[in-house]
Amino acid sequence: MTILIIAPDKDPEPWISALKSLDPALDIQVYPDEARKADVTFALCWNHPEGVLRDYPNLRCICSMGAGVDHVLSDPQLPEGVPVIRLVDPQLAQSMFEYVCAAVMGYFRDFDAYRAQQEQALWQPRAPRPIGETTVGMMGLGQLGEYSAIRLSRLGFNVIGWSRTPKSIEGITAYAGAEQLDAFLSQTDLLVCLLPLTEETRDILNLDNLRKLPAGACLVNVARGEHLVDEDLLTALNEGTLRGACLDVFREEPLPRSHPFWRHPGIRLTPHCSSLTDPVSVAPQIVENYRRMKDGRPLLNQVMPSRGY
């Protein structure tokens, strides 16, 4: 049985090293140089070429190399009946919280306004709003969203959340479903998007929804670029609906040099670095799921393709 790494944009060596440190006997091959397609039973993937997974007749498990699985499920030629799993790692959640916290705090303490004042050599202190009177709205209450929501609440923010299905999280007012989206948005001063990408959530950050936020709200998108309608964000910023946006994900990555996001004064952007998977940290659960697959035992963190996550 072979583990095949299919990640054209990643260096496979750290992954091979991390996996073999746990089990030196593992047979690991790297696409497209695999020698024995029939031996491949477990595929470790990130942005695999469309349709390529059908080339392995004995494939029994597809594992995402991160928390997201949209890059797997978007393949219209995905082999039917092969389970898809994702990685769930406390280190990923902590790293995401650190990024979200930095972005939220920057807007909360007016660092964007001070940056603009610095460019004009203006010395003009601004009285901060009480932290308990500032509402952070967490769009998406999965593992990453729930972790960040709880940690932000502990810092003193009023935190509310919204998800597809109802959630119960101590200290967090949770909204669910399309019928409660408007109530959630209308209260949110700092909107953080950590939704999974599905057909229902694609383009959810559109002008209609952004206009439901309180005037001067800010957006932090660390989920997927396809959640955001680019032109609508520019309109919302230019008309003053939004004060600012911090973006780590984009519809096309790397973001083209000609894209207006690079030059807009209301946008801060980073190169999809909010939470990077550490192969050493996640290798134990990959090996565990590989062994479970071999033994016919239930897999950890299996996703539901019909749901999208």
Side-chain angles (χ1 to χ4, degrees):
M1 291 186 175
T2 295
I3 296 175
L4 179 66
I5 297 176
I6 312 178
D9 301 326
K10 289 182 181 288
D11 179 3
E13 290 306 318
W15 294 84
I16 295 172
S17 176
L19 293 170
K20 281 190 170 289
S21 70
L22 298 174
D23 186 349
L26 289 174
D27 179 31
I28 303 175
Q29 298 185 47
V30 179
Y31 172 89
D33 299 321
E34 74 278 17
R36 306 175 304 279
K37 291 182 184 293
D39 289 350
V40 174
T41 55
F42 191 101
L44 188 57
C45 302
W46 191 261
N47 290 333
H48 68 275
E50 185 177 298
V52 73
L53 291 168
R54 287 186 176 270
D55 294 343
Y56 308 100
N58 298 310
L59 185 63
R60 292 167 54 188
C61 183
I62 301 167
C63 179
S64 170
M65 296 173 83
V69 292
D70 52 282
H71 62 98
V72 175
L73 300 182
S74 63
D75 184 351
Q77 300 181 57
L78 201 64
E80 294 181 9
V82 177
V84 177
I85 58 177
R86 64 190 183 97
L87 299 181
V88 175
D89 182 32
Q91 185 170 313
L92 277 174
Q94 174 64 23
S95 178
M96 180 62 77
F97 164 69
E98 292 165 359
Y99 182 99
V100 168
C101 183
V104 166
M105 278 293 187
Y107 286 124
F108 169 61
R109 289 308 305 262
D110 296 323
F111 277 23
D112 57 327
Y114 287 129
R115 178 62 187 175
Q117 289 179 195
Q118 180 179 339
E119 293 173 355
Q120 303 175 59
L122 291 178
W123 185 275
Q124 188 175 329
R126 304 164 66 95
R129 183 178 183 177
I131 194 169
E133 297 177 11
T134 301
T135 298
V136 177
M138 189 67 61
M139 251 186 159
L141 292 172
Q143 191 238 359
L144 300 181
E146 178 177 343
Y147 185 89
S148 287
I150 292 172
R151 295 293 298 272
L152 288 169
S153 178
R154 290 175 181 170
L155 289 175
F157 288 103
N158 177 43
V159 181
I160 62 177
W162 180 83
S163 55
R164 184 183 70 90
T165 56
K167 299 289 177 69
S168 178
I169 305 171
E170 185 176 356
I172 311 297
T173 301
Y175 297 83
E179 64 278 3
Q180 295 185 351
L181 179 59
D182 288 2
F184 164 80
L185 292 172
S186 68
Q187 303 173 63
T188 297
D189 302 306
L190 299 168
L191 178 64
V192 179
C193 182
L194 265 169
L195 288 166
L197 182 63
T198 67
E199 286 307 309
E200 290 73 27
T201 65
R202 189 181 303 274
D203 298 333
I204 195 168
L205 299 175
N206 54 56
L207 188 58
D208 182 46
N209 283 332
L210 294 176
R211 283 176 172 166
K212 294 170 184 174
L213 297 167
C218 298
L219 169 68
V220 179
N221 187 19
V222 284
R224 288 290 183 265
E226 290 86 348
H227 286 123
L228 176 65
V229 180
D230 292 4
E231 298 80 6
D232 287 4
L233 174 61
L234 294 170
T235 299
L237 289 167
N238 292 336
E239 71 182 16
T241 296
L242 286 187
R243 175 178 126 200
C246 179
L247 309 176
D248 186 55
V249 290
F250 307 91
R251 287 179 177 267
E252 182 178 353
E253 297 182 2
L255 188 67
R257 294 174 64 88
S258 60
H259 199 287
F261 282 179
W262 284 109
R263 294 169 296 281
H264 197 287
I267 295 176
R268 291 183 294 166
L269 57 84
T270 53
H272 204 151
C273 61
S274 55
S275 187
L276 302 176
T277 305
D278 177 6
V280 173
S281 180
V282 299
Q285 68 180 279
I286 295 172
V287 172
E288 173 64 17
N289 262 327
Y290 174 70
R291 291 169 176 166
R292 284 170 174 258
M293 176 210 71
K294 288 177 63 178
D295 298 340
R297 291 181 288 140
L299 299 171
L300 302 174
N301 306 315
Q302 186 170 340
V303 305
M304 296 176 58
S306 60
R307 191 173 61 182
Y309 57 92

